């Protein structure tokens, strides 16, 4: 089947880029021909202003070149700047698939959200969602978006979400029945084709999405107690203190976490990598990443809720870094969730 994948990408967010890559790889391994629809949330025209000049400089930065190399490995459609272009010349495919990531969160997708309900293309094209997320636990659409989404989702053959709370909300607000499935990054067992052989770095590795002092302070204190080095999996530099310039590559981000002695993160995809590579870890709640339902939900399903902390003092007093994780048990639970998710994805194309 020819599949046009509609998701959040080209956003310079490690998790968003990896979930797009993982979805493409999974669909290709199922035998489908996949094109990632080149539709970007950050598609802004150049403006001759201080902000416009900063954006132009960032486009020639080492960081941008790193992302460009990663994006180049994903098969892409022509570029679409807006919904009108999608309506006028829709992607040619047998199936339109939307997801994963926060495609149905208006706080993320903004005025571009309607395109993520796939209103373009003929009625002959089948539509489905895989692991689409509302972001938090609630539907945030206004009256107009609610009516639009309800109408469009009735055209979908199958609907699935990443969080159980989203499944409840879609039925309560929109009258749409959905299934809970795994984030696509967990459909794969590793990312060896990107990283090569993993080498242990024997360090405490911490991964935060932003400059998060609580994560950094906790990591430095715990590394000192453990007598090991402390390493960030998301190093950044800025030109003139403002323009993003260099950054850890996606491949090294995976390598750092995969080879760590211990991992601290507040990121869902940081947790995913720790699980896939059997690393001991803890997750710290932070207000800068307060959509924790998908993290706590996954940890509960695999029996590791004791690894989630809301307070760094509790984390330091827990001694959790001295408690081994039974990854044979964890793998068996993830395998069951993975198999049911893959069965759902296969059923989309039946």
């Amino acid at each position: 089947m020819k599949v046009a994948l509609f998701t959040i990408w080209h956003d310079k967010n490690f998790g968003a880029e990896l979930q797009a890559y993982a979805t493409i790889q999974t669909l290709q391994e199922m035998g489908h021909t996949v094109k990632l629809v080149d539709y970007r949330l950050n598609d802004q025209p150049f403006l001759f202003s201080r902000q416009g000049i900063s954006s132009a400089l960032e486009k020639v930065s080492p960081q941008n070149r790193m992302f460009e190399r990663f994006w180049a490995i994903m098969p892409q459609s022509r570029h679409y700047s807006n919904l009108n272009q999608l309506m006028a010349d829709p992607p040619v495919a047998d199936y339109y698939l939307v997801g994963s990531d926060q495609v149905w969160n208006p706080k993320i997708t903004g005025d571009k959200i309607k395109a993520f309900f796939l209103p373009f293309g003929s009625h002959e094209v089948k539509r489905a969602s895989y692991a689409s997320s509302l972001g938090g636990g609630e539907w945030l659409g206004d009256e107009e978006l609610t009516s639009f989404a309800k109408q469009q989702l009735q055209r979908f053959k199958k609907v699935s979400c990443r969080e159980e709370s989203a499944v409840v909300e879609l039925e309560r607000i929109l009258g749409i029945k959905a299934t809970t499935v795994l984030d696509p990054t967990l459909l794969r067992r590793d990312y060896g084709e990107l990283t090569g052989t993993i080498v242990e770095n024997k360090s405490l590795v911490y991964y935060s999405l932003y400059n998060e002092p609580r994560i950094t302070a906790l990591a430095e204190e715990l590394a000192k107690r453990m007598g090991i080095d402390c390493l960030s999996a998301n190093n950044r530099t800025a030109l003139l203190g403002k323009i993003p310039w260099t950054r850890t590559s996606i491949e090294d981000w995976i390598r750092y976490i995969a080879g760590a002695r211990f991992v601290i993160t507040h990121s869902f995809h940081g947790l995913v990598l720790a699980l896939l590579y059997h690393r001991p870890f803890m997750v710290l709640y932070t207000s800068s990443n307060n959509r924790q339902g998908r993290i706590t939900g996954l940890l509960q399903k695999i029996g590791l809720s004791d690894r989630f902390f809301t307070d760094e003092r509790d984390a330091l007093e827990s001694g959790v870094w001295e408690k081994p994780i039974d990854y044979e048990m964890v793998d068996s639970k993830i395998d069951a969730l993975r198999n049911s998710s893959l069965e759902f994805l296969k059923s989309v194309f039946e």
Side-chain angles (χ1 to χ4, degrees), residues 188-220:
R188 301 183 62 76
R189 298 182 184 277
D190 62 55
Y191 291 88
E193 74 279 8
L194 295 177
T195 64
T197 302
I198 297 299
V199 178
E200 292 192 9
N201 55 55
K202 300 180 181 179
S203 300
L204 186 152
V205 173
Y206 66 98
Y207 172 56
S208 56
L209 300 168
Y210 321 102
N211 180 19
E212 181 52 70
R214 289 179 64 218
I215 295 285
T216 304
L218 175 60
E220 290 176 346

